């Protein structure tokens, strides 16, 4: 019987080799073919049909044919130029990182092949298309992992400063200024989405971006305004917390209430570590979520106590009205806008998205070895860099951006909008046409609510104020830490940064409470909102500028990177290398800058905010407000 040779090498004597040795390449080839056939049978029972043969062959090649190195990252991306301010560790910047990726690639391919061969996932995966139920389940489970940052940002929009402005608007115009509350929340969603986009694409919070991309003098100017805004915001939180303590427990004086506000916040922030595990971060976010839900429950109870008000009257207030163009209405509308769109929340929103991006890169083996910074606790590395920034991978950005923005929009459009609307509705239903309510402070409002609605209404109002003050104080202190770390090169421990940030706001509050008392605290609360209104246009301008430029919003393909800043590198040298590196960066990268429609809308929103704040300051200066 004549047989055809499978190979023409390894001849032993004359003729063809029909009995190869155990290490013959024949066996390896046959084993591969058997593996392909078995994989095809497991993947698709009908793999032998002619109709499926071409698809099966393509799948076989994809599963069994791999180059010796990991080709997901192109040679071009491996040689990318450094980011502004220093060197890059990751895509070609560190040989250890490249070796790490190459070593992890075969394991990832083996795991993927094993999952497919074992029939992992749903049964519908065998046919190449997951069912709608599994797809929806996957989306919901993934979205659940992103719940948390939106609540932290929403806290900034229900702080004690909102109480004074919303109560005054409700007492003066009843429900007519609900339209401004809705408009302010829409503005906030747009600006916070841009902040999330900046932090996700660049890996930098707004303060760090200003330090990296703007001239030194402009960065310092914006830092000074940001510190003024944060101190003004923190003063409002301290005052709100102190008033809440005093209203619930009259035996606690205002000075002691201001001092107590440092203890609760510092104890809470002691356990917050943005560079720690996702479990710890989620526990912290859950605690803040519970505080927000507590405020929501308080106002739900207050709304249930209101009588004699129809739902139609309330919803009519969300339509534009003539009250906006009146002098008093314009002033109060500006106050609502200034109290709702908080400058520190933009820094916060751009800085709290990185942990989930980093978790994605870590779980997908896209994170190289991190260089040691001077602020880190590890000293094992021979090279210690001044500051290290994490730059997410393109895959992490695509995965996280949409979920982060959706979670933010839902949080602001539900909880923040509900609480601000509830404050105004309660004031409009119980204090409208009450001459004593027009010039009343928070203490008088508490008394009026207790008399006009029910004694429990005053207690619930005080509890909501206390919860708002505590939660807003927590996130404001985090934002203050981000600003100081990003704009300046601080080399102190995180807990010390938080303590300094908190003391900057508590000290003037204690002095005011001890020297002037209730009247002084109410005046300081109103003055803090004026300061926030003045700084808001300056803070939002660089955010809109950065997100509209391809130069800053281009994502390079490949794995995540670490950008290190060396202290001995001068700023103008960093900026020169920035310009040289960014000039060719967009050739192989994904441009994620705002489209022209979004850019126009963002600029229009900035103009509206600026005009309303200028009008607010003009009315205040003329004494007509």
């Amino acid at each position: 019987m004549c047989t055809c040779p499978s190979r023409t090498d390894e001849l032993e004597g004359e003729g063809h080799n029909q009995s190869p040795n155990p290490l013959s390449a024949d066996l390896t080839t046959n084993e591969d073919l058997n593996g392909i056939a078995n994989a095809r049978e497991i993947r698709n029972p009908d793999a032998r049909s002619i109709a499926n043969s071409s698809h099966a062959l393509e799948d076989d090649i994809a599963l069994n044919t791999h180059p010796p190195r990991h080709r997901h990252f192109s040679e071009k991306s491996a040689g990318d130029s450094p980011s502004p301010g220093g060197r890059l560790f990751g895509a070609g910047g560190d040989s250890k990182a490249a070796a790490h990726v190459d070593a992890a690639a075969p394991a990832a391919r083996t795991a993927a092949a094993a999952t497919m061969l074992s029939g992992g996932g749903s049964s519908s995966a065998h046919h190449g298309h997951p069912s709608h139920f599994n797809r929806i389940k996957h989306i919901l489970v993934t979205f659940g992992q992103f719940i948390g940052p939106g609540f932290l940002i929403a806290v900034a929009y229900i702080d004690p400063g909102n109480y004074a402005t919303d109560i005054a608007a409700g007492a003066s115009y009843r429900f007519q200024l609900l339209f401004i509350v809705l408009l302010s929340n829409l503005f906030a969603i747009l600006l916070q989405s841009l902040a999330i986009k900046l932090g996700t694409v660049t890996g930098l919070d707004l303060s760090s971006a200003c330090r990296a991309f703007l001239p030194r003098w402009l960065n310092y100017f914006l830092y000074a305004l940001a510190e003024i805004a944060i101190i003004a915001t923190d003063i409002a939180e301290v005052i709100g917390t102190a008033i809440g303590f005093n209203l619930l427990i009259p035996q606690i004086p205002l000075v002691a209430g201001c001092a107590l506000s440092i203890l609760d916040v510092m104890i809470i922030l002691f356990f917050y570590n943005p560079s720690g595990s996702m479990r710890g971060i989620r526990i912290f976010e859950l605690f803040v979520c519970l505080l927000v839900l507590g405020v929501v429950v308080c106002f739900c109870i207050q709304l249930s106590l209101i009588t004699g008000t129809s739902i139609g009257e309330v919803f009519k207030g969300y339509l534009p009205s003539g009250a906006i163009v009146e002098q008093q209405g314009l002033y109060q509308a500006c106050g609502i806008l200034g109290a709702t769109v908080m400058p520190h929340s933009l820094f916060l929103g751009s800085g709290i998205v990185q942990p989930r991006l980093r978790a994605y890169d870590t779980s997908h083996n896209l994170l190289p070895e991190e260089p040691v910074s001077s602020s880190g606790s590890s000293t094992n590395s021979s090279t210690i860099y001044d500051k290290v920034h994490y730059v997410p991978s393109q895959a992490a950005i695509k995965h996280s951006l949409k979920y982060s923005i959706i979670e933010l929009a839902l949080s602001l459009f539900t909880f923040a909008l509900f609480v601000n609307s509830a404050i105004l509705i309660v004031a409009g239903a119980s204090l409208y046409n009450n001459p004593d309510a027009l010039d009343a402070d928070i203490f008088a409002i508490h008394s009026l609510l207790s008399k006009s609605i029910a004694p429990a209404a005053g207690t619930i109002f005080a509890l909501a104020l206390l919860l708002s003050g505590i939660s807003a104080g927590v996130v404001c202190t985090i934002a203050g830490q981000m600003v100081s770390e990003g704009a300046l090169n601080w080399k102190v421990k995180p807990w010390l940064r938080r303590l300094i940030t908190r003391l900057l706001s508590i000290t003037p509050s204690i002095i005011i409470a001890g020297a002037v008392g209730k009247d002084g605290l109410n005046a300081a609360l109103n003055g803090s909102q004026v300061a926030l209104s003045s700084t808001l246009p300056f803070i939002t301008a660089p955010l809109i500028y950065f997100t509209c430029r391809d130069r800053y919003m281009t994502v390079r393909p490949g794995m995540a990177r670490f950008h290190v800043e060396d202290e001995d590198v001068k700023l103008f040298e960093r900026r020169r290398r920035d310009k040289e590196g960014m000039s060719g960066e967009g050739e192989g990268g994904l441009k994620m800058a705002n489209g022209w429609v979004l850019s126009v809308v963002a600029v229009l929103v900035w103009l509206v905010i600026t005009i309303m704040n200028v009008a607010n300051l003009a009315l205040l200066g003329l004494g007509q407000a």
Side-chain angles (χ1 to χ4, degrees), residues 357-385:
L357 292 164
R358 190 164 184 160
Y360 180 91
D361 283 332
T362 302
S363 63
H364 290 76
N365 296 321
L366 296 174
L367 192 67
E369 181 180 353
E370 180 177 1
V372 180
S373 65
S374 59
S375 59
S377 58
S378 175
T379 58
N380 297 328
S381 176
S382 58
T383 305
I384 299 180
Y385 298 98

Side-chain angles (χ1 to χ4, degrees), residues 73-81 91-92 556-558 584-589:
F73 308 115
S74 64
E75 296 293 339
K76 181 175 181 179
S77 65
D80 278 332
S81 55
R556 285 175 288 183
E585 183 175 321
E587 297 176 2

Side-chain angles (χ1 to χ4, degrees), residues 202-241:
T202 65
L204 301 173
D205 59 78
L206 180 57
S207 184
S208 298
C210 290
R211 180 172 184 255
F213 303 135
L214 297 180
R216 175 181 293 179
W217 66 269
L218 184 55
N219 172 57
Y220 288 161
F221 174 72
L222 293 175
Y223 168 70
L225 293 179
E227 280 293 351
I228 291 173
I230 288 175
I231 292 174
T233 305
D234 219 358
I235 287 176
E237 326 305 8
V238 171
I239 292 174
T241 303

Side-chain angles (χ1 to χ4, degrees), residues 320-384:
S321 65
I324 304 174
V325 297
E326 297 180 9
Q327 180 175 299
Q328 184 68 16
L330 178 62
Y331 173 74
Q332 292 182 348
C334 295
I336 293 174
L337 181 65
T340 303
V341 185
M342 308 292 284
H344 77 282
S345 65
L346 301 177
F347 295 101
L348 181 70
S350 60
I352 61 175
V353 295
Q354 282 83 15
R356 282 167 172 79
L357 292 164
R358 190 164 184 160
Y360 180 91
D361 283 332
T362 302
S363 63
H364 290 76
N365 296 321
L366 296 174
L367 192 67
E369 181 180 353
E370 180 177 1
V372 180
S373 65
S374 59
S375 59
S377 58
S378 175
T379 58
N380 297 328
S381 176
S382 58
T383 305
I384 299 180

Side-chain angles (χ1 to χ4, degrees), residues 319-477:
L319 300 176
S321 65
I324 304 174
V325 297
E326 297 180 9
Q327 180 175 299
Q328 184 68 16
L330 178 62
Y331 173 74
Q332 292 182 348
C334 295
I336 293 174
L337 181 65
T340 303
V341 185
M342 308 292 284
H344 77 282
S345 65
L346 301 177
F347 295 101
L348 181 70
S350 60
I352 61 175
V353 295
Q354 282 83 15
R356 282 167 172 79
L357 292 164
R358 190 164 184 160
Y360 180 91
D361 283 332
T362 302
S363 63
H364 290 76
N365 296 321
L366 296 174
L367 192 67
E369 181 180 353
E370 180 177 1
V372 180
S373 65
S374 59
S375 59
S377 58
S378 175
T379 58
N380 297 328
S381 176
S382 58
T383 305
I384 299 180
Y385 298 98
D386 183 51
K387 186 174 289 189
V388 177
H389 297 296
Y390 159 70
V391 183
S393 67
Q394 187 177 110
I397 293 171
K398 289 182 176 180
H399 172 76
S400 303
L401 184 59
K402 56 181 180 294
Y403 288 109
S404 298
I405 293 179
I406 292 174
E407 190 263 346
L408 163 78
L410 291 177
S411 299
L412 290 185
F413 206 75
T414 52
F415 296 102
L417 178 61
F418 171 78
V419 171
N420 282 289
S421 298
I423 297 172
L424 193 147
I425 292 170
V426 170
S430 58
L431 305 178
Y432 182 62
N433 286 332
N434 188 334
D436 297 332
L438 295 178
D439 298 323
D441 55 13
I442 291 183
F443 294 96
I445 295 298
H446 170 265
S447 178
L448 290 172
L449 290 175
S450 301
K451 295 177 182 178
S452 60
I453 300 180
T459 303
I460 295 173
F461 174 81
L463 179 60
L465 180 65
L466 177 62
L467 294 177
S468 298
I470 294 175
S471 57
V474 169
V475 298
C476 186
T477 306

Side-chain angles (χ1 to χ4, degrees), residues 235-274:
I235 287 176
E237 326 305 8
V238 171
I239 292 174
T241 303
I243 294 176
F245 276 126
N246 183 259
L247 292 176
L248 290 174
I249 309 175
Q251 292 78 8
I252 299 180
L254 293 174
V255 175
C258 292
L260 283 175
S261 65
I262 191 175
L263 297 178
D264 54 5
V265 171
M266 292 308 301
I267 291 175
I268 294 168
L269 290 180
F270 182 78
F271 299 99
Y272 175 73
N273 181 16

Side-chain angles (χ1 to χ4, degrees), residues 503-575:
L503 288 176
L504 289 175
S505 59
I506 288 181
T507 303
S509 300
I510 293 178
I511 295 175
I512 294 172
V516 187
K518 296 181 179 180
D519 295 335
L521 286 180
N522 188 68
L525 186 61
N526 294 331
S528 66
Q529 304 309 302
V530 175
L532 292 175
S533 299
S534 304
T535 58
L536 186 58
F538 297 97
I539 302 300
T540 54
L543 172 64
I544 297 174
Y545 171 74
F546 291 146
T547 55
C548 289
R549 297 292 303 275
D550 286 331
R551 175 181 175 184
Y552 310 114
M553 302 297 291
T554 298
V555 181
R556 285 175 288 183
M559 64 188 298
R561 300 174 296 277
F562 286 102
H563 165 224
V564 296
E565 293 184 10
D566 298 331
E567 186 178 13
D568 57 348
V569 179
K570 295 182 179 179
L571 186 63
F572 72 90
E573 293 177 344
R574 295 203 304 266
R575 186 162 298 109

